[in-house]
Amino acid sequence: MDDWLKVDFWEMVLRSAATFGVLLLLTRLLGKKQMSQLTFFNYVTGITIGSIAGNIAGESETPFFDGLVSLVTWTLLTVVLSLISLKWPGARVMLDNEPTIVIKDGRLDEKAMKSVQLHLDDLNMMLRENGVFVVKDVRYAILETNGALSVLLKGQNLPATKKDVNVGSGPSKFLPAEIISDGKIVKKNLKEYNLTEEWLQKELGKHGVSRPEQVFFAQLQEDGTLDVNVKEQS
């Protein structure tokens, strides 16, 4: 118990101060790209460097200079990889991956979504975060290397264009909602809008679809129509 309560106050102060100073210098060396966490690699590297620094400053069992060597080595490796990615584009793709187009001309790219393990719920959330509620209004949606979604709306749906031609000033009949997700009917949303499966079957028929299982994604539009993305044939 006495050993547990015993703390070398000045040792911890000096370790913390020295680690703080070294970490400050190393963050300047890493540059703004690392600090902005532009990619998942940058994000993980930042967490690891912070964890090493925390162990050096707060864990008296960690030899100070051993921890310092580890911290500097990890930082230098990160800098070297950044320089390599700047010089060779192929290495940049390997380290940071590439942006992925998940929506093109209002159509979901099922294969692209599967390749980046992005499911419909996450995509819809990210679209809403960009102020987009209707998938078919999107010209391009690109999943960036840092996990963010960049959205380019179709020309007629850009804010300035809508204002110029006074589109959408009237009340909407419905709030765009998910009706079919990966072949399964979202019955909760049908009930919310007092819609029936018979209505859904008729709307699917308009798109040449006989069964909900054939649909990857279907969304109710503001005017009460259905936008349908049919599953790709494997």
Side-chain angles (χ1 to χ4, degrees):
M1 186 67 175
D2 292 338
D3 292 337
W4 184 76
L5 292 173
K6 184 179 178 180
V7 177
D8 192 330
F9 177 78
W10 290 111
E11 178 190 353
M12 300 310 294
V13 169
L14 289 173
R15 287 171 69 102
S16 298
T19 305
F20 181 86
V22 172
L23 191 59
L24 179 62
L25 292 174
L26 293 178
T27 53
R28 295 297 299 272
L29 178 64
L30 286 169
K32 295 180 179 179
K33 178 181 177 182
Q34 179 66 45
M35 295 307 101
S36 63
Q37 298 177 349
L38 291 177
T39 67
F40 183 68
F41 175 74
N42 297 141
Y43 174 72
V44 172
T45 300
I47 290 177
T48 305
I49 290 174
S51 178
I52 295 172
N55 285 332
I56 297 172
E59 297 290 340
S60 58
E61 295 82 5
T62 303
F64 178 75
F65 287 104
D66 290 355
L68 204 60
V69 169
S70 177
L71 182 63
V72 172
T73 301
W74 191 278
T75 303
L76 290 178
L77 286 172
T78 303
V79 172
V80 169
L81 285 176
S82 294
L83 293 175
I84 290 174
S85 67
L86 284 173
K87 190 169 184 180
W88 291 289
R92 183 164 61 247
V93 172
M94 182 183 70
L95 291 172
D96 297 337
N97 211 330
E98 291 182 300
T100 302
I101 298 175
V102 292
I103 299 177
K104 183 177 180 181
D105 290 329
R107 302 287 97 183
L108 297 172
D109 190 327
E110 187 178 350
K111 288 184 178 179
M113 290 176 63
K114 287 181 178 179
S115 71
V116 294
Q117 300 178 26
L118 178 68
H119 57 71
L120 287 168
D121 291 341
D122 283 345
L123 178 59
N124 282 321
M125 177 190 70
M126 296 168 83
L127 287 171
R128 291 192 295 270
E129 288 177 344
N130 280 276
V132 178
F133 287 80
V134 181
V135 173
K136 72 175 184 178
D137 288 348
V138 178
R139 183 176 182 187
Y140 286 104
I142 303 171
L143 187 67
E144 305 292 356
T145 55
N146 65 347
L149 190 71
S150 299
V151 179
L152 174 65
L153 294 174
K154 293 179 180 177
Q156 67 270 26
N157 297 303
L158 292 171
T161 303
K162 291 182 72 174
K163 182 178 179 181
D164 290 342
V165 299
N166 196 29
V167 172
S169 57
S172 300
K173 187 176 180 181
F174 295 100
L175 177 69
E178 188 177 32
I179 299 299
I180 298 177
S181 175
D182 200 11
K184 296 180 180 179
I185 300 173
V186 184
K187 295 184 179 180
K188 178 187 63 161
N189 288 343
L190 279 179
K191 184 177 180 181
E192 177 74 20
Y193 292 106
N194 295 318
L195 300 172
T196 64
E197 292 191 25
E198 288 75 16
W199 168 87
L200 175 59
Q201 198 63 45
K202 289 181 181 178
E203 288 294 320
L204 291 176
K206 295 177 182 178
H207 295 271
V209 177
S210 59
R211 295 179 293 109
E213 290 78 11
Q214 298 173 298
V215 177
F216 180 58
F217 178 73
Q219 185 181 47
L220 179 67
Q221 305 299 294
E222 292 181 347
D223 60 0
T225 59
L226 197 67
D227 181 48
V228 176
N229 283 249
V230 180
K231 285 186 176 182
E232 296 181 1
Q233 298 297 324
S234 57

